Amino acid sequence: RLLAPELLVFESGGVDRGYEAYLGHHLGPELKEMSGWATSGMDVTFMVEGSLAYAPCAFTYEASFKSGKTSKAKATETMVLVKEKDQWLIRHIHWSSRAIKPVKP
């Protein structure tokens, strides 16, 4: 309900156009493999200009998978929202992450 029909997602060098494409090509397969997700250090700023808004964000996340694997990364994300009929909808998401490598003793 929060995603605009013309959603455009940039992630990992790929482009998904629309919720169904994003769910089918990227988000859906990831969610099927995940068993947990936690974020920390969320730093987000909201900026509104008329019927457009954007929210740049930086955070750290740790994901766990059904296989037993875990990954920890620093991530950045920008969402662009548009106000339509008194409701804010997410029209664009651009997100990027970089693995945090364990410190060697």
Side-chain angles (χ1 to χ4, degrees), residues 8 15 27 36-37 39 41 53 59 70 74 80 90 95 99 102:
L8 178 66
V15 178
L27 185 61
W37 175 271
T39 59
F59 57 96
T70 61
K74 290 185 177 275
V80 177
I90 300 167
W95 113 281

Side-chain angles (χ1 to χ4, degrees), residues 62-88:
E62 187 165 355
S64 53
F65 299 88
K66 294 175 184 173
S67 66
K69 178 184 167 190
T70 61
S71 66
K72 189 170 184 177
K74 290 185 177 275
T76 57
E77 177 179 63
T78 302
M79 291 193 186
V80 177
L81 298 91
V82 62
K83 191 170 188 179
E84 295 179 2
K85 300 178 186 172
D86 296 327
Q87 180 182 7
W88 287 99

